[in-house]
Amino acid sequence: MISSVPKWVGDLFANSLRPNAKVLETSYISSQIKKIRFQGDISKKNFEIGYANVIRVSETDYRNYTAAYHDKKNGIIDIIVHIHGNGVGSRYFDALRTNDEIFIGPSRGKIVYNKRAKQQFIFGDETSLGVAVALFPLLKSNNHQFQFYFELDEENKNVPALLGLKNFIVFIRNNSFRSEKWISDLPLFRTDEWNTANFILVGNVKSVQTFRKVLKAKTQGSIHSQGYWLEGKKGL
Ligand SMILES: Cc1cc2nc3c(=O)[nH]c(=O)nc-3n(C[C@H](O)[C@H](O)[C@H](O)COP(=O)(O)OP(=O)(O)OC[C@H]3O[C@@H](n4cnc5c(N)ncnc54)[C@H](O)[C@@H]3O)c2cc1C
């Protein structure tokens, strides 16, 4: 995905990249997690679970964010942003206030939810809270057996509960999800209950890759994975 374009390209398409949504409200769920509600014309956007919207975060930079909630009738989108402080996107959303205007681009991505699988297992981090919140009502209404595992910084450990999620375990980030051996010992693998589940892995690239490797070796389930960010890499 292209995360930045030269200024002259932006200028060329200036009209189509103009702000098309307004901030209605913002709130901090923790010092690092900000929920932002926008209003705009979203009638033509596609909100498949796993899709993200490309959002313009500077004159030349674009980043991917998931609609945690949307309401096409009233033109509402919520996003849940990890304010990690390392990048232009994070700083842009930290500074965003009510009535600010922004450009929300098309939505696209990978479909990760398979309605037919009875069991759904979701692994993610702060960047995955949006997709978790979008998926949660479907998990309940379609009577899935489901489990969330979140790899989070200590200061965000209460966020899943504050967002109203259920059936989650929070693991405080300490690089454990970089170890195949450690992942193999997780409760998930202690029975064969989850053997054929739909596995959704999103968040840090290295954690996702390591988890995927263990799942491939130890289960028969279908695995949908997408890295959302990688140390030292701009705008995945
Ligand atoms: C399909 C998809 C959906 C996504 N949905 C969301 C979402 O709903 N909410 C959300 O917050 N993010 C989401 N992301 C991730 C987000 O797009 C990236 O974290 C992005 O890199 C942030 O841009 P930035 O400008 O802040 O940092 P960048 O300029 O991209 O990166 C600068 C530096 O910051 C580091 N960095 C980037 N992200 C993080 C992070 N999360 N924690 C710590 N360091 C980081 C990079 O490794 C790099 O070193 C999604 C990504 C994808 C691909």
Side-chain angles (χ1 to χ4, degrees):
M1 285 184 198
I2 295 173
S3 58
S4 85
V5 296
K7 187 176 173 308
W8 69 267
V9 177
D11 290 345
L12 199 63
F13 294 100
N15 274 338
S16 52
L17 300 173
R18 261 189 224 295
N20 57 5
K22 200 174 188 174
V23 178
L24 284 186
E25 54 183 283
T26 70
S27 59
Y28 282 87
I29 316 288
S30 73
S31 59
Q32 285 188 357
I33 302 294
K34 186 172 183 180
K35 188 169 161 189
I36 309 172
R37 172 158 288 189
F38 301 98
Q39 188 166 41
D41 180 7
I42 56 167
S43 56
K44 295 200 178 72
K45 296 197 196 302
N46 183 339
F47 294 101
E48 292 285 348
I49 300 292
Y51 276 22
N53 290 283
V54 183
I55 297 185
R56 186 176 199 179
V57 296
S58 79
E59 208 166 20
T60 54
D61 294 289
Y62 298 81
R63 296 289 184 268
N64 288 295
Y65 291 89
T66 307
Y69 170 79
H70 72 276
D71 167 359
K72 278 200 173 173
K73 195 164 142 263
N74 295 302
I76 305 278
I77 299 190
D78 289 350
I79 64 168
I80 298 172
V81 183
H82 185 203
I83 308 293
H84 53 82
N86 299 323
V88 60
S90 164
R91 286 191 287 275
Y92 174 79
F93 286 111
D94 196 16
L96 219 52
R97 302 283 175 265
T98 305
N99 289 329
D100 285 348
E101 295 189 321
I102 88 164
F103 172 75
I104 304 182
S107 33
R108 71 240 154 84
K110 267 181 132 173
I111 295 178
V112 295
Y113 169 59
N114 169 10
K115 190 178 167 179
R116 286 187 300 279
K118 168 88 183 117
Q119 295 166 311
Q120 306 279 335
F121 181 94
I122 304 98
F123 167 74
D125 63 11
E126 285 87 352
T127 62
S128 325
L129 292 164
V131 71
V133 167
L135 186 55
F136 184 54
L138 292 173
L139 296 175
K140 286 191 298 178
S141 62
N142 292 332
N143 293 315
H144 292 291
Q145 182 188 349
F146 64 94
Q147 174 77 62
F148 293 102
Y149 275 13
F150 291 114
E151 175 186 34
L152 300 177
D153 281 344
E154 170 82 33
E155 58 210 286
N156 303 321
K157 68 178 181 206
N158 296 326
V159 172
L162 291 170
L163 289 171
L165 295 170
K166 303 266 187 263
N167 298 2
F168 58 81
I169 302 179
V170 171
F171 299 86
I172 302 300
R173 180 176 282 112
N174 63 2
N175 280 339
S176 295
F177 284 96
R178 310 290 165 91
S179 159
E180 289 176 41
K181 163 79 184 71
W182 185 85
I183 293 175
S184 306
D185 290 336
L186 284 168
L188 160 71
F189 300 109
R190 288 193 197 136
T191 65
D192 56 9
E193 200 184 345
W194 293 91
N195 191 35
T196 57
N198 186 57
F199 292 100
I200 300 171
L201 313 177
V202 285
N204 178 269
V205 169
K206 288 186 186 157
S207 299
V208 163
Q209 282 173 347
T210 315
F211 210 144
R212 183 186 168 87
K213 222 167 153 184
V214 178
L215 285 172
K216 279 191 96 167
K218 290 181 87 83
T219 75
Q220 314 297 313
S222 61
I223 307 170
H224 304 271
S225 62
Q226 185 172 11
Y228 280 6
W229 69 279
L230 175 62
E231 290 85 352
K233 177 92 173 68
K234 284 187 184 178
L236 279 193

